[in-house]
Amino acid sequence: MAEFRAEYALAIAMVVALLAGIFTGYPVAFLLGGLGIAFAFIGDIPIPFLGTVGSRIFGGVIENWLMIAIPLFVFMGLMLERSGVAKRLLLTLQRLFGRTPGGLAISVAILGVVMAASTGIIGASVVMLGLLALPVMMKQGYRAEMACGVIAASGTLGILIPPSIMLVLMGSILQVSVGALFKAALMPGLLLGVLYIVYLLVIAWIKPDWAPLADPDAVDADTTPLPLALVRDLLGPVVLIVAVLGSIMAGIATPTEAAAIGAAGSLLLALAMRSLDWATLRSAVRETSRTSAMILFVVIGATCFSVVFKRLGGDYMIEEMITGTGLGPYGLLLLLMALIFVLGFFLEWIEISFVVLPLVAPVVELLDFGFGLSGQALLVWFAILVAINLQTSFLTPVRLRAVLPQGHHRGADQHWDHLSLDHPLRGAAAHRTGAVHRLPGAGVVAAGASITYMDGLVAFRLESAAAHQSSGFSQIPLVPG
């Protein structure tokens, strides 16, 4: 054991330094890259070897055509949010399920599925649903656990339901077909959405006080006949989803080409809804650039970290640790899923994908689970398991704190003046003082004012729901960044 520790001391130190650095709030992209360079010198790695890091970055990241799909999918999602599709669809769904027990929660769950299949952005969906629906659910008498749970669960479906940005990057990391990942993730994602709706119906029937019926006077007074309103508000998103996913699954277009179709389609949809102007387009392009740059920097940092970590024997260390447990294939799989689930509390999916997956995938590829899968098919199956696992681990209440009505922050003063949001478990608050008690690196926002939300993937400005906790849907506007 002493020999094992001596051999892998630097690799273990890299992992410890990474975890410690994450809790300081230092930007992960620079943390990963900085640790890679620092431990390259500490480990006395030859300088010429560092040239392979640059080659890997340019050859495996910068020149990867699949990466072009990321800004296009991000742009599609941002344009759909700014076009007012979600707001109008939620109003129409509320009319449809207005007299159904738990109808508002069901409407939120359906909207979460539709937006997940349209955007592929996680934190954006959670905050958007919180701003649109949470104040109204609280006003309608919904139990806080019910309201927050359905928003968090529905909003995080974007990590799983295609076109998920995470699946695009997983395809590049594991060297498997993105189209195969999309096909494999579609049914589990939709099944989760259906199970959420069934659960809501059952809970609303067993505990009607948790999800009261809507007041007829509170339902949006749209005079458009309900069938026409459903067609009007569902047609655009459905056509866009079919065009993007259908072209990939039918083999007509590559993921990058389908992303371009989606970006163009979102522009046309915004134009059709008369919400496309220069300010909206400029805002969407700016936020797309920021998000894409953020992802690219994290990818570059993770590449540097991974190359040095493997040079120091980290990959062999992980392999020995996993295989040395004496567990069978399913025992090892359960161990890996538990590890990834816990990491999801602290890390964004992009760090997990680029640091953890390359280390454990070779081990998984050698396992025999007894159902005839091997090679790429086995990696696709494993990637979907990881995606479902992360979707569950991201159900973190901190993402909702900025949009919780006052008085619903469990165990805290209802008069919090400031809130910091950046990452699960990184939220902190200040109590009536000018000083903000927060972890470094977290973005500070003020209740009642426009806030900037950053979840490691997307940054955009939203109007705080705290000032609108008694308002209806139409009175909770999204403020473009």
Side-chain angles (χ1 to χ4, degrees):
M1 191 66 175
E3 194 175 280
F4 173 84
R5 289 178 179 171
E7 183 181 356
Y8 299 124
L10 286 178
I12 294 172
M14 279 192 80
V15 175
V16 172
L18 175 61
L19 294 176
I22 286 171
F23 281 101
T24 67
Y26 196 76
V28 175
F30 301 114
L31 178 64
L32 289 167
L35 286 176
I37 295 173
F39 275 87
F41 286 103
I42 294 172
D44 200 23
I45 294 176
I47 295 297
F49 175 80
L50 294 179
T52 62
V53 176
S55 301
R56 185 77 62 87
I57 290 172
F58 282 96
V61 178
I62 305 298
E63 295 180 357
N64 188 350
W65 282 93
L66 194 58
M67 299 291 286
I68 299 177
I70 294 173
L72 293 172
F73 278 134
V74 171
F75 178 80
M76 180 179 75
L78 291 171
M79 283 304 302
L80 283 175
E81 287 171 12
R82 284 157 172 75
S83 67
V85 170
K87 183 176 172 182
R88 292 175 58 174
L89 182 56
L90 190 54
L91 286 168
T92 303
L93 289 173
Q94 189 196 14
R95 289 178 59 195
L96 178 63
F97 296 105
R99 303 309 302 165
T100 304
L104 181 53
I106 293 170
S107 302
V108 172
I110 294 175
L111 179 62
V113 172
V114 173
M115 294 308 294
S118 305
T119 63
I121 301 174
I122 308 160
S125 298
V126 174
V127 177
M128 178 192 65
L129 291 174
L131 288 170
L132 288 176
L134 190 57
V136 182
M137 296 175 86
M138 294 289 99
K139 181 182 178 182
Q140 193 170 307
Y142 270 71
R143 188 74 173 260
E145 297 94 318
M146 182 83 155
C148 294
V150 68
I151 290 172
S154 304
T156 52
L157 285 174
I159 199 174
L160 180 59
I161 297 178
S164 165
I165 296 174
M166 186 186 75
L167 293 179
V168 174
L169 286 178
M170 276 188 173
S172 175
I173 295 165
L174 299 176
Q175 296 297 301
V176 297
S177 167
V178 175
L181 288 175
F182 281 4
K183 291 178 184 178
L186 185 59
M187 285 308 297
L190 294 178
L191 180 60
L192 265 179
V194 171
L195 290 176
Y196 289 162
I197 293 171
V198 172
Y199 173 81
L200 292 172
L201 287 170
V202 172
I203 291 295
W205 178 61
I206 296 175
K207 300 179 179 180
D209 57 312
W210 280 39
L213 286 172
D215 183 355
D217 297 332
V219 178
D220 184 61
D222 189 353
T223 57
T224 308
L226 185 57
L228 291 179
L230 281 172
V231 172
R232 177 196 65 195
D233 298 330
L234 268 176
L235 184 61
V238 168
V239 169
L240 190 61
I241 292 167
V242 170
V244 174
L245 297 184
S247 60
I248 295 174
M249 295 182 180
I252 299 173
T254 65
T256 303
E257 293 166 343
I261 294 172
S266 64
L267 278 172
L268 293 176
L269 190 59
L271 184 63
M273 292 192 169
R274 300 178 181 179
S275 57
L276 180 62
D277 53 31
W278 173 249
T280 301
L281 181 61
R282 179 175 176 271
S283 171
V285 170
R286 184 179 67 225
E287 300 303 343
T288 299
S289 302
R290 292 175 61 184
T291 302
S292 303
M294 192 187 318
I295 293 175
L296 186 61
F297 270 106
V298 173
V299 171
I300 291 173
T303 301
C304 179
F305 182 91
S306 298
V307 171
V308 176
F309 185 72
K310 289 180 179 179
R311 172 73 183 207
L312 295 175
D315 52 344
Y316 295 112
M317 179 186 72
I318 298 295
E319 184 177 347
E320 288 184 20
M321 289 176 62
I322 294 175
T323 57
T325 59
L327 299 173
Y330 285 98
L332 289 175
L333 182 65
L334 184 62
L335 177 64
L336 291 176
M337 290 297 109
L339 174 64
I340 291 172
F341 183 78
V342 173
L343 288 176
F345 296 162
F346 310 102
L347 299 177
E348 287 291 347
W349 62 263
I350 191 166
E351 292 102 51
I352 295 174
S353 298
F354 275 92
V355 176
V356 178
L357 280 188
L359 297 175
V360 302
V363 178
V364 172
E365 199 171 7
L366 298 176
L367 299 177
D368 181 11
F369 293 96
F371 43 77
L373 288 182
S374 61
Q376 284 208 348
L378 182 61
L379 289 178
V380 168
W381 175 75
F382 177 68
I384 300 305
L385 284 180
V386 172
I388 297 172
N389 193 358
L390 289 177
Q391 190 272 337
T392 306
S393 72
F394 285 163
L395 301 182
T396 310
V398 174
R399 292 183 184 272
L400 280 174
R401 283 190 177 178
V403 295
L404 277 176
Q406 291 184 6
H408 291 279
H409 297 83
R410 182 183 296 275
D413 191 321
Q414 65 176 358
H415 297 292
W416 282 356
D417 295 319
H418 295 83
L419 184 72
S420 127
L421 265 184
D422 177 42
H423 198 283
L425 302 183
R426 291 190 192 174
H431 301 261
R432 304 191 187 92
T433 66
V436 179
H437 305 287
R438 47 167 262 188
L439 294 178
V444 180
V445 298
S450 293
I451 65 174
T452 297
Y453 175 82
M454 296 186 69
D455 75 336
L457 258 192
V458 66
F460 57 96
R461 191 166 297 133
L462 295 164
E463 189 166 335
S464 171
H468 304 277
Q469 57 189 15
S470 62
S471 304
F473 288 130
S474 57
Q475 296 172 312
I476 308 175
L478 296 182
V479 181

